[in-house]
Amino acid sequence: DIQMTQSPSSLSASVGDTVTITCRASQSIRGYLNWYQQKQGKAPKLLIYSASKLQGGVPSRFSGSGSGTDYTLSISSLHPEDLGTYYCQQAWSGPVTFGPGTRVDI
Amino acid sequence: QVQLQESGPGLVKPSETLSLTCTVSGGSMTNYYWSWIRQPPGKGLEWIGYIYYNGNTNSNPSLKSRVTISVDTSKNQLSLILTSVTAADTAVYYCARHPSAAEVFDSWGQGTLVTVSS
């Protein structure tokens, strides 16, 4: 299975800050990388797919980049409603696997 | 807009069988893949398996021997059966939709908590 890691595991930021979360795969996943936001007690919500494509209805302050094994999710101008846990997920090979999550506190 | 709703018993005894249903409304199941994903309390996400609307399935090898996923497009439902459960199977179980076999989960149910305990 492809192992996914994320850093940091948690972070605290202020409204208006730019936040960057990193996701690394144990082997190349060729851009098949998706990002989700999960708020407490809720289902995950798709933010970014195929590494850099913004899901419909998601604010443009969210952006993704990366290739090969290394990917980033950036949130520019952090809003209070952006608190939650962010997960990366690979869909390239073998069983789908998720990163362990990054908790974002405002 | 498609909506997914999981249902089933919230408590299952160890060694018994977990059975859940996901009802899809506001859209067709045709031409989509449908996955089950679970999340133990306070932990991360684990993909269980998927079924295509035509009945083709694929499961996580770690659970494959205990998992059965089925679909009834006439009822707009998919089902999950997990046998021989243990406390490690305690989790919130989600159903989710993806437009292709490359799993991009674009719609999720709200999830249902299943506790395995005697």
Side-chain angles (χ1 to χ4, degrees):
Chain A
D1 298 2
I2 296 177
Q3 306 304 314
M4 308 297 293
T5 58
Q6 288 181 234
S7 61
S9 56
S10 65
L11 65 91
S12 183
S14 299
V15 172
D17 284 352
T18 294
V19 166
T20 299
I21 299 168
T22 297
C23 177
R24 175 167 288 174
S26 58
Q27 64 187 75
S28 175
I29 55 173
R30 301 181 182 247
Y32 284 80
L33 189 284
N34 310 314
W35 290 97
Y36 300 85
Q37 175 196 61
Q38 186 177 36
K39 298 187 176 182
Q40 186 67 32
K42 301 294 185 181
K45 172 188 173 184
L46 177 65
L47 300 175
I48 302 284
Y49 64 98
S50 299
S52 61
K53 298 178 181 178
L54 193 68
Q55 174 69 351
V58 175
S60 59
R61 63 180 181 274
F62 291 91
S63 64
S65 64
S67 63
T69 60
D70 296 325
Y71 299 85
T72 59
L73 172 70
S74 294
I75 312 171
S76 63
S77 187
L78 197 68
H79 283 44
E81 61 266 31
D82 297 336
L83 75 90
T85 301
Y86 292 80
Y87 293 94
C88 60
Q89 172 240 324
Q90 68 83 17
W92 167 242
S93 174
V96 165
T97 47
F98 292 85
T102 295
R103 177 174 172 171
V104 174
D105 292 321
I106 308 294
Chain B
Q1 182 174 348
V2 68
Q3 292 188 317
L4 292 73
Q5 177 71 58
E6 304 87 350
S7 59
L11 181 65
V12 181
K13 290 183 168 57
S15 80
E16 296 191 345
T17 296
L18 179 159
S19 181
L20 296 175
T21 297
C22 173
T23 301
V24 178
S25 59
S28 171
M29 298 189 76
T30 303
N31 296 325
Y32 285 98
Y33 292 77
W34 304 88
S35 273
W36 287 97
I37 297 160
R38 69 181 183 179
Q39 184 173 36
K43 296 188 178 179
L45 298 157
E46 179 181 32
W47 175 73
I48 299 170
Y50 72 61
I51 189 163
Y52 193 41
Y53 78 100
N54 65 2
N56 290 343
T57 60
N58 186 23
S59 300
N60 193 323
S62 67
L63 297 167
K64 196 177 185 74
S65 63
R66 298 195 293 131
V67 166
T68 301
I69 300 174
S70 59
V71 67
D72 186 338
T73 54
S74 67
K75 294 183 179 179
N76 264 22
Q77 290 180 334
L78 65 151
S79 298
L80 170 69
I81 292 176
L82 182 65
T83 61
S84 305
V85 298
T86 69
D89 295 310
T90 293
V92 175
Y93 285 76
Y94 297 101
C95 55
R97 185 186 78 169
H98 43 116
S100 73
E103 297 89 341
V104 179
F105 304 113
D106 65 357
S107 294
W108 295 64
Q110 66 184 30
T112 187
L113 174 63
V114 179
T115 301
V116 178
S117 175
S118 55

